[in-house]
Amino acid sequence: MSMIIAGVMSGTSADGINVALVRFASERTGRARGPSPGQGPRSEFTLLGHAEYQFPAPVRRTILEMMNAELARVADLARLNFLLGELYAEAVAKTARKHRVKLDLIGCHGQTLYHQGTPGRFLGRKLSVTWQTGEGAVIAARLGVPVVSDFPPRRDSGGGKGAPLVPFLDYLFYGGHAAQNRIAQNIGGIANLTAIPAGAPLRQVIAFDTGPATW
């Protein structure tokens, strides 16, 4: 059994939309990646294709404006949420057509507009919060494929920090070595790292943000 999944990402730099098409297989039919037997989960997957689509200049400008918490308007935030859903759906559809694949699932990170990783007081509670926009329901309606989204809120609500999905891929690629400790540094608008101890199971992997970054 296998599934073809589209992963959708637009980073804090707001330069555009990245789409990756990946086939995940439950049998050993694809390219095997993962830790050694007994060290944790093993996954087999094949990258079928990927593409990047720049945001039109007015869209990028609006995204950056909406990151200004003091000036952003609720109506514009709602409109941007639905507009990004449309743009994500178009990007996925175009990439799937190009590579002639039929999707089973879409995973969409969303566009980060606000992130407060350190807990702060709000109305008597101490909270760490994050907010991503880009309506998953719009993507699902346009493409007729189930959509999984809101990964960062799930991470933060459980006390996590750093990129919500990158550590899993880092572990699948680089984990399981019996003698070497490894660190993978991801450089984006906000950089993050994954520290993988030698021979460690997934639960011992540590990941966190390291601050603003640039190429």
Side-chain angles (χ1 to χ4, degrees), residues 7 12 15 17 59 68 89 109 128 146 157 169 191 195 197:
T12 49
D15 52 356
I17 301 170
V59 174
N68 187 326
H109 179 281
S128 59
S157 62
L169 186 63

Side-chain angles (χ1 to χ4, degrees), residues 6 9 12 14 16 20 29 37 46 57 59 61-62 66 72 75 82 86 89 127 137 147 154 162 169 196-197 201 206:
M9 177 71 191
T12 49
T29 56
T46 304
V59 174
R61 184 169 59 249
T62 299
M66 293 302 101
F82 275 69
E86 299 283 1
L127 306 170
V147 175
R154 175 62 183 87
L169 186 63
I196 309 170
I206 299 171

Side-chain angles (χ1 to χ4, degrees), residues 34-39 171 173-182 196-201 204:
S36 301
Q39 296 297 330
Y171 181 67
F173 264 91
Y174 306 118
H177 196 284
Q180 290 184 356
N181 298 318
R182 291 173 170 171
I196 309 170
Q204 292 181 9

Side-chain angles (χ1 to χ4, degrees), residues 180-194:
Q180 290 184 356
N181 298 318
R182 291 173 170 171
I183 292 177
Q185 177 76 57
N186 174 49
I187 300 176
I190 299 296
N192 49 79
L193 68 76
T194 306

Side-chain angles (χ1 to χ4, degrees), residues 84-157:
L84 286 176
E86 299 283 1
L87 294 178
Y88 289 149
E90 291 169 6
V92 171
K94 186 174 182 179
T95 308
R97 284 197 303 269
K98 177 181 177 181
H99 294 279
R100 299 180 180 180
V101 299
K102 186 178 186 304
L103 297 174
D104 299 298
L105 183 70
I106 298 168
C108 184
H109 179 281
Q111 177 65 52
T112 298
L113 294 184
Y114 185 80
H115 182 74
Q116 178 196 309
T118 302
R121 289 211 163 270
F122 180 73
L123 300 180
R125 296 292 184 97
K126 207 168 184 181
L127 306 170
S128 59
V129 300
T130 190
W131 186 24
Q132 286 67 39
T133 193
E135 185 54 59
V138 172
I139 306 171
R142 298 294 173 266
L143 301 181
V145 178
V147 175
V148 183
S149 58
D150 278 349
F151 302 111
R154 175 62 183 87
R155 168 208 61 201
D156 284 27
S157 62

